Amino acid sequence: IVGQSFGASLSLSSTTLSNIEPGSNGTATLTVTNQGNGLDNLRISSSAPPSGWSVQLDTTTVSVGSKHGPDKSEGIGIVVNVPANALATEQIEITFSVLPAGGGVAYAEVMLSVSVEAIHGIEVQATALEQTGRSGALVKFPVTIQNTGNTEDHYRCIESDQTASPNWAVHC
């Protein structure tokens, strides 16, 4: 009589999901392979992501055949949801584990790294679009510049068009 051996391994279709746009998601496939010599029920778990992030698995339990048979592996879809307010500097790691379905010590673990895409954006508001001034006077047009992206940015203010002839001195 041959006793049953137990064990399992995990692999990811990609260990990195790079430049995921804030407010969207990235996907990967987790493959669970039975390393035991008989039919087994296995449980998949993931570490908790940071607040605002979420991880979804197609299923958290699989039934797999013996490591010697054709049904030894099962693929599980993974979806990682990135919050809309994620910063470009954020990078998280999620650990996936495979365990016996009834509980116990993990057979194997793999880590998935997820990074956020840098989004550049700007919004400019002017408090006054028309001014009246005397000859030789300084006329100011205050503007408020807001970074609407998720990364630190640098902006340059330039004069793009002028109808005065000769040109007036303009600076930001």
Side-chain angles (χ1 to χ4, degrees):
I1 298 174
V2 178
Q4 184 169 347
S5 61
F6 298 92
S9 63
L10 286 176
S11 63
L12 280 164
S13 57
S14 175
T15 57
T16 304
L17 296 177
S18 299
N19 297 322
I20 306 302
E21 186 177 334
S24 66
N25 60 61
T27 61
T29 302
L30 184 66
T31 301
V32 182
T33 303
N34 188 0
Q35 299 297 324
N37 64 356
L39 178 69
D40 206 352
N41 295 315
L42 303 169
R43 182 169 57 92
I44 312 305
S45 70
S46 70
S47 60
S51 178
W53 294 68
S54 69
V55 179
Q56 298 168 319
L57 300 169
D58 284 350
T59 184
T60 56
T61 57
V62 293
S63 293
V64 286
S66 163
K67 68 178 179 179
H68 304 296
D71 300 326
K72 65 182 177 184
S73 297
E74 185 77 31
I76 299 171
I78 300 168
V79 178
V80 179
N81 297 296
V82 179
N85 62 350
L87 299 177
T89 54
E90 289 185 69
Q91 180 168 332
I92 69 164
E93 293 181 340
I94 303 164
T95 302
F96 296 95
S97 305
V98 57
L99 310 94
V105 179
Y107 293 131
E109 293 182 341
V110 290
M111 191 175 298
L112 177 65
S113 178
V114 185
S115 64
V116 180
E117 179 181 5
I119 304 295
H120 300 274
I122 184 172
E123 185 176 294
V124 180
Q125 291 180 334
T127 54
L129 298 177
E130 294 182 10
Q131 297 272 6
T132 302
R134 293 191 185 119
S135 178
L138 181 64
V139 180
K140 295 183 179 181
F141 292 86
V143 295
T144 301
I145 298 171
Q146 180 179 355
N147 181 351
T148 58
N150 70 346
T151 186
E152 183 178 310
D153 239 328
H154 301 280
Y155 303 107
R156 187 168 56 123
C157 179
I158 60 169
E159 171 206 343
S160 61
D161 191 20
Q162 186 178 140
T163 59
S165 181
N167 285 348
W168 293 355
V170 177
H171 65 274
C172 296

